[in-house]
Amino acid sequence: MEKAINRQRVLLDHLRPSSSHNFESTLSASACLAGDSAAYQRTSAYGDDVVIVAAYRTPQCKSKRGGFKDTHADDLLAPVLQALIEKTNLDPREVGDIVVGSVLAPGSQRASECRMAAFYAGFPETVPIRTVNRQCSSGLQAVADVAASIKAGFYEIGIGAGVESMTFNQMAWDGDVNPKLKNFQKAQDCLLPMGITSENVAHRFGVTRQEQDQAAVDSHRKAAAATASGRFKDEIIPVTTKIVDPKTGDEKPIIVSVDDGIRPETSVAGLGKLKAVFKKDGTTTAGNSSQISDGAGAVLLMKRSVAVRKGLPILGVFRTFTAVGVDPAIMGVGPAVAIPAAVKAAGLELEDIDLFEINEAFASQFVYCRKKLELDPQKINVNGGAMAIGHPLGATGARCVATLLHEMKRRGRDCRFGVVSMCIGTGMGAAAVFESGDGSDELCNAGNVIRSTSSSIITVIANFSSLSNATLEFQEITNAVSNRCACIYLIAVEIFELVKKCPIFLGFSHRNDKGTLWITTG
């Protein structure tokens, strides 16, 4: 009993808004992490949560051959930045910073292009912008950087974005390689072609060619279905651009509104005919690898209190971000390490995550990570992934955030938590946890959930000895509470004849088909 009481005190102290009563507790908040999945961290007052109010992307198009082959990076970025402002009616002068993930272009050039794109989109000169490069996670890193800055109080509104034109900027090493490299094996492995690292993963962990080809087929099938049913329409911003005839030089105005790399007819038999690209007897082919693509994405974040004040709908809540290091020779395993770390940091368990967007850099690493973490295939990349949609390096993170949050919104309260993750060249992994905007109720609204629970199916399993300082623990026998309340709520209510006007603090967690209700009088 004492253990339960102590844990409840930790939860109450850990989750209470800043205006709540002051509970004395000498225990670490980390004590919450080993318990119910609902004990995910709320380390700031409810109104200080960082929320996402809009997330958009361009279509993802095939490099050198697709709809954006003649579109400059700044012309890819500008439409999604502009969409954030126009669709939310936000005054662009209120944006504290814009952070853009990008990988291949020279740093100073891309920084200038991003600044130019902001001007195209209608931002005033007073709004700053910068770039960030953490390889394939750059777009997600941009979102995380903005979230961290908002939490730190640097500003209240920011944009995390990503852009890449793999048509104009190819993967290449500029200049000589430091001869010192020869003395450090791990440093040497940083220069391994990504396809070789894919082969290493397949060989070391026994991922078969059949498994890889099947994963690619599944990706194209799901992406084709999502496109046909219009599931991408809410996240894609059509781009007005041009396409140039390579023979005549004639320019033709076009509007690009769909991803152009998806192949609905892809089959295991067809992919089986492709030769390995990186190793003579290998298993990595052009068909079971991510597509080289052009595209951009952008995410608008702000303090919850600001979003509420402006009357903006909350698409999602930013919870945690984690970047980890792994062996560069098998860099593709990154998500298998980053995802558990990020989920644990959120106080959750893998089984609590309803949807995953895991970048499909290569089928080998995607299949390995899925199997290693024992994830339900029905929860992963439900609308396809990079093997079908494409992987414009710096933009992928922002694209995945947009795809994840719009799908979570579509599924409603049955989908509360989602994860975005990817492997990173030179041996890293990144992952972020998001909560559905519909799933994160204001703490005081929890009373409605609790009051809807039938008292006839709640049994008291612990008594209290003092009305002024007591803890009651209730065990819910059946799934009485609708929706998956994988969150602990802290509220102050009055229980009529029981405590008269003495306020009590109540915490509730719900996981699978059982839940626990705590009440502590104050």
Side-chain angles (χ1 to χ4, degrees), residues 342-355:
V343 170
K344 181 179 179 181
L348 299 170
E349 298 175 5
L350 284 176
E351 65 187 42
D352 299 311
I353 306 303
D354 300 293
L355 283 179

Side-chain angles (χ1 to χ4, degrees), residues 236-296:
I236 287 182
I237 300 300
V239 177
T240 300
T241 185
K242 65 182 181 182
I243 194 164
V244 179
D245 187 315
K247 295 181 179 179
T248 65
D250 293 339
E251 295 184 3
K252 177 184 177 181
I254 60 171
I255 298 177
V256 182
S257 58
V258 296
D259 306 311
D260 66 16
I262 301 170
R263 301 187 299 274
E265 73 286 352
T266 301
S267 66
V268 172
L271 292 181
K273 298 176 183 179
L274 299 177
K275 295 182 178 180
V277 178
F278 300 95
K279 190 177 178 182
K280 185 176 181 180
D281 57 346
T283 57
T284 299
T285 71
N288 59 34
S289 303
S290 59
Q291 297 188 34
I292 298 174
S293 313
D294 306 326

Side-chain angles (χ1 to χ4, degrees), residues 348-375:
L348 299 170
E349 298 175 5
L350 284 176
E351 65 187 42
D352 299 311
I353 306 303
D354 300 293
L355 283 179
F356 294 85
E357 280 291 327
I358 302 177
N359 186 44
E360 299 167 348
F362 297 96
S364 62
Q365 57 86 209
F366 172 74
V367 171
Y368 165 77
C369 292
R370 184 185 66 196
K371 293 168 67 176
K372 175 66 176 179
L373 298 179
E374 299 181 342
L375 303 180

Side-chain angles (χ1 to χ4, degrees), residues 193-512:
M194 294 297 97
I196 294 299
T197 70
S198 171
E199 294 287 3
N200 291 344
V201 170
H203 176 73
R204 188 176 302 186
F205 301 107
V207 183
T208 68
R209 170 70 180 268
Q210 175 74 18
E211 288 178 304
Q212 294 175 59
D213 287 349
Q214 184 62 59
V217 170
D218 293 342
S219 184
H220 282 280
R221 174 182 53 79
K222 290 186 287 187
T227 300
S229 63
R231 290 201 295 274
F232 289 143
K233 287 185 177 179
D234 290 340
E235 67 190 68
I236 287 182
I237 300 300
V239 177
T240 300
T241 185
K242 65 182 181 182
I243 194 164
V244 179
D245 187 315
K247 295 181 179 179
T248 65
D250 293 339
E251 295 184 3
K252 177 184 177 181
I254 60 171
I255 298 177
V256 182
S257 58
V258 296
D259 306 311
D260 66 16
I262 301 170
R263 301 187 299 274
E265 73 286 352
T266 301
S267 66
V268 172
L271 292 181
K273 298 176 183 179
L274 299 177
K275 295 182 178 180
V277 178
F278 300 95
K279 190 177 178 182
K280 185 176 181 180
D281 57 346
T283 57
T284 299
T285 71
N288 59 34
S289 303
S290 59
Q291 297 188 34
I292 298 174
S293 313
D294 306 326
V299 180
L300 178 60
L301 302 94
M302 61 184 65
K303 288 177 62 174
R304 181 189 294 272
S305 57
V306 174
V308 171
R309 185 172 71 243
K310 292 180 175 295
L312 294 173
I314 295 173
L315 185 61
V317 186
F318 182 93
R319 286 301 173 204
T320 61
F321 170 81
T322 299
V324 300
V326 298
D327 184 349
I330 50 171
M331 66 92 200
V333 306
V337 181
I339 290 174
V343 170
K344 181 179 179 181
L348 299 170
E349 298 175 5
L350 284 176
E351 65 187 42
D352 299 311
I353 306 303
D354 300 293
L355 283 179
F356 294 85
E357 280 291 327
I358 302 177
N359 186 44
E360 299 167 348
F362 297 96
S364 62
Q365 57 86 209
F366 172 74
V367 171
Y368 165 77
C369 292
R370 184 185 66 196
K371 293 168 67 176
K372 175 66 176 179
L373 298 179
E374 299 181 342
L375 303 180
D376 181 353
Q378 299 302 314
K379 292 183 176 183
I380 311 172
N381 296 359
V382 295
N383 293 318
M387 286 185 284
I389 298 171
H391 179 25
L393 307 183
T396 288
R399 195 280 296 174
C400 287
V401 171
T403 300
L404 174 75
L405 293 181
H406 282 285
E407 182 61 28
M408 291 175 70
K409 178 183 178 181
R410 212 164 8 252
R411 298 189 175 209
R413 288 182 177 269
D414 287 335
C415 185
R416 190 178 189 94
F417 294 105
V419 165
V420 171
S421 185
M422 64 279 294
C423 58
I424 304 171
T426 70
M428 289 179 281
V433 178
F434 297 87
E435 186 177 0
S436 168
D438 288 336
S440 181
D441 297 322
E442 187 167 2
L443 301 179
C444 63
N445 291 339
N448 295 327
V449 178
I450 300 304
R451 283 189 287 274
S452 69
T453 304
S454 172
S455 60
S456 64
I457 60 173
I458 301 291
T459 58
V460 179
I461 63 173
N463 295 319
F464 60 94
S465 57
S466 170
L467 184 63
S468 63
N469 185 16
T471 299
L472 305 181
E473 184 174 342
F474 293 80
Q475 179 67 42
E476 186 181 46
I477 299 177
T478 64
N479 185 8
V481 181
S482 61
N483 304 323
R484 291 182 55 201
C485 300
C487 170
I488 290 181
Y489 296 94
L490 175 63
I491 61 175
V493 297
E494 291 184 0
I495 302 239
F496 307 109
E497 299 300 324
L498 178 62
V499 291
K500 303 299 184 182
K501 294 183 179 181
C502 177
I504 70 170
F505 293 90
L506 181 152
F508 174 76
S509 75
H510 181 262
R511 175 177 168 194
N512 298 331

Side-chain angles (χ1 to χ4, degrees), residues 135-214:
Q135 306 282 34
C136 299
S137 71
S138 297
L140 183 61
Q141 184 68 58
V143 173
D145 283 1
V146 170
S149 293
I150 293 174
K151 284 186 177 181
F154 296 161
Y155 46 80
E156 294 185 336
I157 302 174
I159 294 173
V163 65
E164 206 75 65
S165 173
M166 299 183 77
T167 294
F168 284 89
N169 305 111
Q170 290 91 45
M171 290 182 282
W173 184 271
D174 185 18
D176 298 330
V177 176
N178 190 337
K180 186 177 181 179
L181 187 77
K182 297 177 181 179
N183 300 323
F184 298 87
Q185 184 60 51
K186 296 296 184 185
Q188 291 181 42
D189 291 342
C190 289
L191 298 183
L192 285 174
M194 294 297 97
I196 294 299
T197 70
S198 171
E199 294 287 3
N200 291 344
V201 170
H203 176 73
R204 188 176 302 186
F205 301 107
V207 183
T208 68
R209 170 70 180 268
Q210 175 74 18
E211 288 178 304
Q212 294 175 59
D213 287 349
Q214 184 62 59

Side-chain angles (χ1 to χ4, degrees), residues 65-141:
R65 297 179 293 126
F68 292 146
K69 73 179 184 66
D70 300 303
T71 304
H72 291 279
D74 42 333
D75 283 329
L76 290 174
L77 180 60
V80 289
L81 293 179
Q82 185 176 0
L84 293 180
I85 300 303
E86 292 183 346
K87 291 181 178 292
T88 59
N89 291 316
L90 180 70
D91 184 343
R93 293 175 297 180
E94 296 184 76
V95 175
D97 199 5
I98 303 172
V99 182
V100 184
S102 188
V103 178
L104 298 179
S108 59
Q109 175 181 322
R110 183 48 45 87
S112 296
E113 289 174 326
C114 291
R115 178 72 162 156
M116 291 154 54
F119 288 135
Y120 303 159
F123 286 83
E125 63 184 31
T126 54
V127 177
I129 192 167
R130 68 174 173 88
T131 59
V132 61
N133 187 346
R134 199 197 286 269
Q135 306 282 34
C136 299
S137 71
S138 297
L140 183 61
Q141 184 68 58

